[in-house]
Amino acid sequence: QVQLQESGPGLVKPSETLSLTCTVSGDSVSIGGYHWSWIRQPAGKRLEWIGRVYNSGSTNYNPSLKSRVTISLDTSNHQFSLKLSSVTAADTAVYYCARVLLVPSGYNWLDSWGQGTLVTVSS
Amino acid sequence: DIQMTQSPSSLSASVGDRVTITCRASQSISNYLNWYQQKPGQAPQVLIYMSSTLQSGVPSRFSGSGSGTDFTLTISSLQPEDFATYYCQQSLSTTWTFGQGTKVEV
C-alpha cells in the first residue's frame, strides 16, 4: 500500500522560497498509470490544486501560481518536490502531496494523500 | 478556470438522516467529477470518482450522480463517522478545481 509523507520547513520568511519534499513508499514514482500532485489548503478555506508532475517528468501548474512554482521528480529517491518562490502570508497553508490514479479512459483522481504539513509564512 | 460551487456550505443533520449535497460546475464537465471526505486534522480521502463510482472500501450508503454541470452526493443514512467536510473536484480541465466544501455537522 502506497504511503506519502511531506517534509520541509514549517516556517518560511516572506519573499523566500518554500521547499517541500514528498517521499513515496510502497510504490515507484516512475510507475505508469500514476502521476503526482501538490494541493494546499489555507485555514478554513477550500483545497487549491498547485500542480502535477508526470512519471516522465513533465509538469502542469495552476495558472494562478505558475510563475512561482516548480514541481520535480526524483525517481532514484522515490520523491517529488515543490518549490514556491517569493512567498507571502497568503501562501500560509497546509500543503498536501498526493498520488493521482489515471485510467485509460482519461479519468483521474487523487487516490492517496500524505498527512499534510503546515507551512507558515512569517518574519 | 472551471468554477465549482457546492450547496449548502454547511448543514445540520442527525444520525440516520438522508443527506444530499450538490455541486455545480461553471461549464460542462461530463462526468469528470470526484468527491472527497475530509475529517478535522486529516487529509481528504476519495469517496467517489467519475461522478458515481464508489471507491473501494467506501460504504454503500454513499452514492453519487450527475453529468454535465450538476452533481449530487447522497448519504442514505448518516452515521456518526460521516460528520465531516465534503468536497467536489473536477478533473476535466488541466487545472483542477475544488468546491468550497460542505460541512456536515450535528
Side-chain angles (χ1 to χ4, degrees), chain B residues 12-80:
Chain B
S12 295
S14 301
V15 173
D17 284 353
R18 181 181 181 88
V19 170
T20 299
I21 298 168
T22 64
C23 177
R24 176 164 288 176
S26 60
Q27 64 188 73
S28 177
I29 57 171
S30 182
N31 60 340
Y32 286 78
L33 191 283
N34 307 314
W35 289 98
Y36 301 87
Q37 177 193 64
Q38 185 178 34
K39 296 180 180 179
Q42 297 183 20
Q45 292 185 310
V46 64
L47 293 174
I48 289 170
Y49 55 90
M50 291 166 52
S51 177
S52 60
T53 304
L54 207 61
Q55 171 75 354
S56 175
V58 173
S60 59
R61 62 180 178 272
F62 291 93
S63 64
S65 65
S67 184
T69 60
D70 295 314
F71 302 85
T72 60
L73 172 69
T74 300
I75 309 171
S76 61
S77 178
L78 196 67
Q79 298 302 300

Side-chain angles (χ1 to χ4, degrees), chain A residues 23-104:
Chain A
T23 301
V24 180
S25 56
D27 208 350
S28 169
V29 296
S30 58
I31 193 171
Y34 299 103
H35 61 251
W36 309 90
S37 269
W38 287 95
I39 301 99
R40 70 180 183 179
Q41 186 174 36
K45 296 189 177 181
R46 76 176 72 194
L47 298 155
E48 180 180 31
W49 177 78
I50 298 172
R52 65 172 67 86
V53 58
Y54 294 89
N55 58 3
S56 63
S58 62
T59 55
N60 297 122
Y61 300 129
N62 190 321
S64 68
L65 299 169
K66 186 175 182 178
S67 64
R68 300 193 290 131
V69 173
T70 302
I71 297 175
S72 58
L73 206 57
D74 180 353
T75 56
S76 59
N77 288 309
H78 307 287
Q79 295 176 333
F80 63 105
S81 64
L82 167 70
K83 292 187 186 300
L84 181 66
S85 65
S86 304
V87 297
T88 69
D91 295 309
T92 295
V94 175
Y95 286 75
Y96 295 100
C97 61
R99 186 181 75 172
V100 181
L101 175 61
L102 308 168
V103 296

Side-chain angles (χ1 to χ4, degrees), chain B residues 72-91:
Chain B
T72 60
L73 172 69
T74 300
I75 309 171
S76 61
S77 178
L78 196 67
Q79 298 302 300
E81 60 268 30
D82 301 337
F83 290 95
T85 300
Y86 296 84
Y87 293 93
C88 61
Q89 174 248 328
Q90 64 80 19
S91 61

